[in-house]
């Protein structure tokens, strides 16, 4: 907390009158101004509150609990550990009151700190103050945010030296990926550093269990095993980076913080799996009808948007507003709602119908929704047998591809690299890249969104075209050559 406060604000912070503030300022131990702004001295609120904690009984009560100094004759005692809303809390009885040190769960990292502390204070109803260990770092160590039970609306930042002095011993710290409640709860003062396997950003057990049910040399087993190893390797390296960073911080070097756990060492040999094998594995998984396959699909979508899937990006179409959409929907066939492919849609269980495009195999779901009656998983590439004849600019930025043999397809695109037209931006740029590829090879894969694009082609796409406009191969080729 580094809010600037002027003298009038200092009076509010300390709960005294302005004349009294000017008297206090004359004391030799009063903080020096942090700087001047508009001809006035200003201070940092933290410095004022830390000073108040040592400035006498009449001012001490205005200071946050963890800025105050413990009574030397009353030793602190570690009380117990508990889990509150999935977060592990270590509790000490001290001369200042009962204090809790919160280690957010791996899943809760990123939750607003004050909200998390308040939740713990409300859940336990036994703490006088609680402090949460944040994910961020500075030169002094991992950042801390505290809240006192008596002033729940005030957030402040103690440091590790404060905690070590109050607790009477170095304070334990766990890397975020090693905060397993059962292991943290086994900690006691003086405990040795433990070695543990880090948690992962995805549920790797889903993938490893699926791989175990397959022949060892199958595309699915090879792909999922390699992905699991990749995830675990990444988690371990990130954890090692955090431990190395904290081990060099001032709080650790000065003995106020101790690293309670470090990641286990393991074989980090990378196992490469060819693209064709990975894609074959996911084509098979998406057609399966078991819960394991659906769980794998959901986890992979959450991780990277299904970058190895033959389709992944979700788009909406409305046949009532788009003639091309109506033509394409009329060609769809009934699909099996149990297929893992439908796990791509968060709300597939509420669909009126589960459909599939017989040419691209992309899944489609229909809803009772006037604005977005159909959701489609766009293909990564087209199984077309003839060259591009035209593109059709549909409603709501939908793009359709017509080939020389008359077949109609939704335009290929990837998750995070959508297509659009009618302006100069990311979506039209992606479309320009795609069209340049399709003009050369109709089976080309959708761009990832970071390639160079032809500016003349983009200028054509960026025009304010009416819905349903068809741009022929001749139009696109002329634009590509700068002849329009």
């Amino acid at each position: 907390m580094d809010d600037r406060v002027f003298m009038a604000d200092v009076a509010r912070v300390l709960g005294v009158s302005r004349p009294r503030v000017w008297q206090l300022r004359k004391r030799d131990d009063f903080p020096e101004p942090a700087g001047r702004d508009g001809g006035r001295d200003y201070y940092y609120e933290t410095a004022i509150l830390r000073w108040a904690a040592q400035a006498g009984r009449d001012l001490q009560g205005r200071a946050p609990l963890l800025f105050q100094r413990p009574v030397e004759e009353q030793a602190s005692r570690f009380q117990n550990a508990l889990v509150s809303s999935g977060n592990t809390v270590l509790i000490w009885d001290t001369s200042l009151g009962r204090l809790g040190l919160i280690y957010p769960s791996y899943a809760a990292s990123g939750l607003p700190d004050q909200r998390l502390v308040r939740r713990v204070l409300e859940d336990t109803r036994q703490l006088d103050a609680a402090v949460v260990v944040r994910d961020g770092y500075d030169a002094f160590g991992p950042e801390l945010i505290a809240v006192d039970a008596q002033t729940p609306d005030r957030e402040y930042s103690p440091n590790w030296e404060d905690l070590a002095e109050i607790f009477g011993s170095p304070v334990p710290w766990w890397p975020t990926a090693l905060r397993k409640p059962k292991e943290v709860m086994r900690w006691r003062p003086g405990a040795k550093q433990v070695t543990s396997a880090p948690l992962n950003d995805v549920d790797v057990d889903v993938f490893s269990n699926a791989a175990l049910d397959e022949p060892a040399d199958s595309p699915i087993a090879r792909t999922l095993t390699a992905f699991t190893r990749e995830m675990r390797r990444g988690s371990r390296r990130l954890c090692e980076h955090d431990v190395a960073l904290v081990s060099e911080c001032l709080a650790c070097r000065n003995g106020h913080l101790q690293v309670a756990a470090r990641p286990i060492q393991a074989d980090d040999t990378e196992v490469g799996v060819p693209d064709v094998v990975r894609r074959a594995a996911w084509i098979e998984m998406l057609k399966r009808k078991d819960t394991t396959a659906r769980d794998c699909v959901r986890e992979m979508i959450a991780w990277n948007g299904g970058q190895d899937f033959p389709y992944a990006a979700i788009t909406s179409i409305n046949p009532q507003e788009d003639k091309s959409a109506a033509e394409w929907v009329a060609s769809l066939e009934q699909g099996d709602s149990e297929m893992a492919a439908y796990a791509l849609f968060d709300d597939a269980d509420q669909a009126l119908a589960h459909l599939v495009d017989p040419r691209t195999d992309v899944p489609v779901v229909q809803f009772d929704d006037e604005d977005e009656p159909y959701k489609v998983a766009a293909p990564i590439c087209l199984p077309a047998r003839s060259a591009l004849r035209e593109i059709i600019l549909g409603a709501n930025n939908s793009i359709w591809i017509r080939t020389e043999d008359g077949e109609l397809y939704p335009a290929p695109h990837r998750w995070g690299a959508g297509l659009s037209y009618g302006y100069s931006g990311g979506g039209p740029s992606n479309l320009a890249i795609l069209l340049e590829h399709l003009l050369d090879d109709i089976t080309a894969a959708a761009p990832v969104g970071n390639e160079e694009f032809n500016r003349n082609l983009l200028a054509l796409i960026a025009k304010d075209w009416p819905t349903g406009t068809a741009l022929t191969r001749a139009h696109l080729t002329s634009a590509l050559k700068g002849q329009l």
Side-chain angles (χ1 to χ4, degrees):
M1 181 175 59
D2 59 357
D3 294 338
R4 289 185 178 187
V5 290
F6 297 94
M7 289 304 292
D9 302 310
V10 172
R12 172 186 53 78
V13 170
L14 297 179
V16 299
S17 66
R18 293 190 184 186
R20 175 62 174 152
V21 168
W22 288 102
Q23 291 178 349
L24 294 172
R25 187 181 183 183
K26 296 177 181 178
R27 289 177 47 163
D28 294 338
D29 59 349
F30 194 82
E32 290 294 324
R36 291 181 65 80
D37 187 358
R40 297 183 298 165
D41 290 338
Y42 67 82
Y43 302 80
Y44 287 125
E45 188 171 344
T46 296
I48 296 298
L49 290 173
R50 282 191 175 279
W51 174 80
Q54 313 298 322
R57 292 185 178 180
D58 58 330
L59 295 173
Q60 183 176 338
R62 302 294 300 184
L65 205 59
L66 297 178
F67 284 175
Q68 300 179 30
R69 297 302 91 195
V71 178
E72 294 183 1
E73 295 78 13
Q74 299 179 27
S76 296
R77 181 170 62 89
F78 178 75
Q79 179 68 22
N80 66 320
L82 54 83
V83 175
S84 170
S85 300
N87 307 293
T88 312
V89 187
L90 302 184
I91 299 174
W92 280 262
D93 281 329
T94 76
S95 62
L96 301 177
R98 180 163 288 188
L99 310 179
L101 186 58
I102 307 168
Y103 297 92
S105 68
Y106 194 57
S109 86
L111 186 70
D113 301 303
Q114 190 172 13
R115 178 179 160 195
L116 191 152
V117 179
R118 285 179 180 174
R119 180 185 295 176
V120 170
L121 289 173
E122 292 171 359
D123 286 350
T124 61
R125 297 192 180 280
Q126 60 173 295
L127 301 175
D128 296 295
V131 55
V132 62
V133 181
R134 304 185 68 189
D135 293 337
Y137 310 96
D138 57 27
F140 298 94
E143 297 173 355
L144 303 170
I145 293 294
V147 173
D148 295 346
Q150 294 299 316
T151 54
D153 293 331
R154 181 173 65 182
E155 174 185 303
Y156 62 100
S157 299
N159 56 45
W160 291 90
E161 183 177 1
D162 294 327
L163 298 183
E165 183 177 353
I166 294 169
F167 296 157
S169 62
V171 186
W173 171 83
W174 281 264
T176 304
L178 295 182
R179 291 176 191 166
K180 305 173 186 177
K182 289 184 179 179
E183 294 186 3
V184 177
M185 291 181 70
R186 285 199 291 266
W187 181 87
R188 294 294 182 271
K192 294 182 179 179
Q193 185 182 78
V194 300
T195 303
S196 180
L199 300 168
N200 303 280
D201 287 323
V202 297
D203 185 358
V204 295
D205 289 343
V206 168
F207 300 103
S208 58
N209 289 337
L212 288 173
D213 291 334
E214 297 288 322
D217 60 348
S218 70
I220 288 179
R222 292 173 62 190
T223 298
L224 299 188
T225 299
F227 179 73
T228 299
R229 291 178 64 86
E230 178 186 344
M231 290 297 96
R232 294 184 68 83
R233 181 172 60 251
S235 297
R236 190 162 48 250
R237 288 179 177 175
L238 181 60
C239 201
E240 290 170 348
H241 173 267
D242 289 348
V243 168
L245 196 64
V246 171
S247 296
E248 292 300 315
C249 74
L250 291 175
C252 191
R253 290 163 60 184
N254 292 337
H256 302 135
L257 174 155
Q258 64 178 27
V259 178
R262 66 172 54 250
I264 191 172
Q265 297 299 303
D267 180 7
D268 276 345
T269 303
E270 295 188 24
V271 179
V273 178
D275 290 352
V276 65
V277 175
R278 295 202 311 270
R279 297 194 183 284
W282 284 112
I283 288 173
E284 183 177 346
M285 288 290 282
L286 288 160
K287 291 180 179 179
R288 282 172 39 171
K289 302 175 184 178
D290 55 278
T291 57
T292 298
R294 288 197 291 274
D295 288 343
C296 286
V297 168
R298 291 190 184 100
E299 286 292 330
M300 189 58 73
I301 285 290
W303 174 246
N304 65 10
Q307 66 181 19
D308 289 327
F309 293 2
Y311 41 77
I314 306 301
T315 185
S316 298
I317 61 174
N318 189 338
Q320 299 300 319
E321 300 177 353
D322 190 330
K323 291 182 179 180
S324 297
E327 177 186 342
W328 185 73
V329 166
S331 68
L332 299 179
E333 297 178 354
Q334 188 65 36
D336 189 331
S337 62
E338 296 300 312
M339 270 202 326
Y342 292 103
L344 291 166
F345 307 94
D346 292 334
D347 46 3
D349 58 336
Q350 303 170 30
L352 295 177
H354 295 75
L355 306 167
V356 64
D357 176 17
R359 288 151 300 186
T360 61
D361 285 334
V362 300
V364 181
V365 284
Q366 180 185 4
F367 296 95
D368 183 14
D369 187 326
E370 292 183 1
D371 297 323
E372 297 181 343
Y374 291 88
K375 289 185 179 180
V376 181
I380 294 295
C381 59
L382 302 179
R385 293 187 295 271
S386 62
L388 182 148
R389 185 171 87 191
E390 64 185 10
I391 69 163
I392 303 168
L393 308 177
N396 300 317
N397 283 308
S398 61
I399 310 294
W400 301 93
I401 304 296
R402 178 91 64 186
T403 54
E404 291 290 357
D405 58 4
E407 293 285 1
L408 182 70
Y409 301 94
H413 68 276
R414 299 176 186 272
W415 181 85
L419 310 176
S420 54
Y421 66 92
Y423 67 98
S424 296
S429 298
N430 292 334
L431 180 54
I433 298 168
L434 172 66
L435 292 177
E436 188 170 1
H437 290 327
L438 294 183
L439 286 168
D440 180 59
D441 178 6
I442 192 63
T443 65
V448 296
N450 58 1
E451 303 174 37
E452 290 293 326
F453 56 86
N454 184 285
R455 296 191 177 277
N456 295 319
L457 195 53
L458 175 61
L460 176 68
I461 295 166
K463 291 182 179 180
D464 187 16
W465 296 105
T467 297
T469 295
L471 299 177
T472 67
R473 183 181 189 90
H475 273 111
L476 300 173
T477 302
S478 296
L480 191 62
K481 297 177 180 180
Q483 294 175 350
L484 286 182

